[in-house]
Amino acid sequence: MKRLTGIFLTIVACLFVLVICHPAAATGDGTFYLTEKENEGDGKPFFEWEAANGASAYEVYRIPASKNPELESSWGNPIKTVSSSVTEYKDTTADPLSRYYYRVKAVLSQGKRISNTLQINCRLEKPEIIHASQEPATGSPSISWKKVENADRYKVLISVWGSFSEIAEVAASENDPNQNTYTASFNGSIGFIYDVKVIACSDLSEDFNSPDSDIVAIKCKMPRPKNVTVKDSDDGMPVLDWDDVERAEVYRVQYRKSGDTSAEWITVQVLKSTVTLNAEPGVTYDYRIIAALDGSNTSFDSRAATGGGTCAPPPEVTTPPPD
């Protein structure tokens, strides 16, 4: 029993010497942790760390992934020194499509405490959405975004119920360096609202793909009526005819005197793809034809088919000569 007690005391004494004479904070054996933060959109490496008690400053180190992070000689000098109140860092000087190792040293009165090593990729910048609407002729959702430097292609993803899936891929133009915007459209189901986002992609590795763009909501609307013809009825009134639009419940037809932009549109709703306008004889008019999914809801109305014409003047009345 005395022998066991002696061994125990010896072990405690050794541990005491190790802790007091060779503190972990000074040797780098006591690790505090770096964790990658969600990128804010510019693709630059972004990370944070735990605050170290007693730190007067933090030194941020970076080396390319081609170097061995296990070798102390690989690290060289810090790329940035920040105050003790700062516990995050974004590397705005990182080169696009590059991999780096990072670590941080907490500067303490008794030495420096070294963090873990974190590998982060410098990714493509997230695409900036500049327009989200519908194709005028078809009502199909359409989205446009700004060019992302160094991107090889773009993925367009859609969601209706919360789960995104790829709907289109657009290649970056190699032949036109002045192309600054890209557009994609897709066939949706009329009456649905789609969440849409874009990702800029690199052919080098998916690791360099951009963060997701902002999500935009786009309605899939009715196609615009087409092949509108104008003819006169037997009594000279203008008759508009057009092709049937699939799923159209009603058509809203609007007309007013041509050039009188202050006048209100006269609106009639019809169930078939034809209407006779109650226009004034001899007057030129403008018209708009809108296909509607729902007679009481304009949310999914088509773009208007527009045009104009002249209502035939009344027939001349001739007085027969007296007998």
Side-chain angles (χ1 to χ4, degrees), residues 5-281:
T5 302
I7 293 172
F8 175 77
L9 292 175
T10 301
I11 293 172
V12 170
C14 291
L15 290 174
F16 179 82
V17 171
L18 287 171
V19 171
I20 298 301
C21 298
H22 303 282
T27 63
D29 296 330
T31 302
F32 65 104
Y33 286 93
L34 307 185
T35 54
E36 186 173 0
K37 293 192 70 174
E38 183 177 354
N39 191 275
E40 296 175 328
D42 58 6
K44 298 296 185 181
F46 191 26
F47 55 92
E48 62 184 353
W49 57 87
E50 303 165 343
N53 290 332
S56 60
Y58 297 100
E59 297 174 345
V60 180
Y61 293 78
R62 179 191 76 192
I63 59 173
S66 59
K67 290 190 175 183
N68 184 356
E70 301 298 323
L71 297 177
E72 186 64 27
S73 59
S74 297
W75 290 94
N77 297 320
I79 60 170
K80 186 75 173 180
T81 299
V82 297
S83 69
S84 59
S85 62
V86 177
T87 57
E88 66 178 25
Y89 182 71
K90 177 183 282 189
D91 188 1
T92 57
T93 64
D95 293 328
L97 310 182
S98 299
R99 290 188 175 91
Y100 295 99
Y101 289 117
Y102 293 90
R103 75 178 185 182
V104 172
K105 290 184 180 180
V107 180
L108 307 171
S109 59
Q110 70 272 35
K112 295 180 180 179
R113 186 179 176 192
I114 303 174
S115 74
N116 62 311
T117 298
L118 186 65
Q119 180 178 300
I120 308 181
N121 303 308
C122 188
R123 302 159 64 189
L124 294 168
E125 186 176 0
K126 82 173 184 180
E128 179 184 347
I129 307 301
I130 56 175
H131 184 68
S133 186
Q134 299 80 29
E135 287 290 331
T138 65
S140 298
S142 176
I143 187 169
S144 300
W145 61 92
K146 286 185 178 181
K147 172 185 177 180
V148 175
E149 292 296 331
N150 300 303
D152 294 308
R153 52 198 164 82
Y154 303 90
K155 289 182 180 180
V156 181
L157 299 96
I158 65 169
S159 168
V160 177
W161 309 117
S163 179
F164 280 89
S165 59
E166 183 179 339
I167 192 67
E169 184 169 290
V170 179
S173 175
E174 297 179 355
N175 300 322
D176 185 4
N178 296 320
Q179 182 173 348
N180 294 317
T181 61
Y182 291 86
T183 299
S185 58
F186 58 91
N187 294 324
S189 296
I190 297 170
F192 281 82
I193 301 175
Y194 294 89
D195 287 332
V196 187
K197 63 183 180 181
V198 180
I199 300 174
C201 302
S202 169
D203 290 339
L204 294 176
S205 170
E206 289 187 357
D207 294 340
F208 298 127
N209 289 358
S210 74
D212 297 352
S213 74
D214 294 336
I215 296 173
V216 293
I218 312 177
K219 296 175 180 178
C220 186
K221 296 189 174 185
M222 299 292 295
R224 181 170 58 193
K226 59 183 181 180
N227 296 327
V228 181
T229 60
V230 183
K231 60 184 179 181
D232 293 335
S233 65
D234 293 339
D235 57 1
M237 292 293 102
V239 178
L240 305 182
D241 288 299
W242 58 92
D243 291 349
D244 289 339
V245 176
E246 185 178 358
R247 294 196 63 191
E249 182 178 290
V250 297
Y251 300 94
R252 296 187 179 93
V253 181
Q254 300 176 323
Y255 64 100
R256 67 182 179 188
K257 291 181 180 180
S258 180
D260 188 0
T261 56
S262 63
E264 292 187 5
W265 291 92
I266 301 170
T267 302
V268 293
Q269 287 196 164
V270 293
L271 301 179
K272 296 183 179 181
S273 55
T274 185
V275 66
T276 300
L277 303 183
N278 187 22
E280 296 179 32

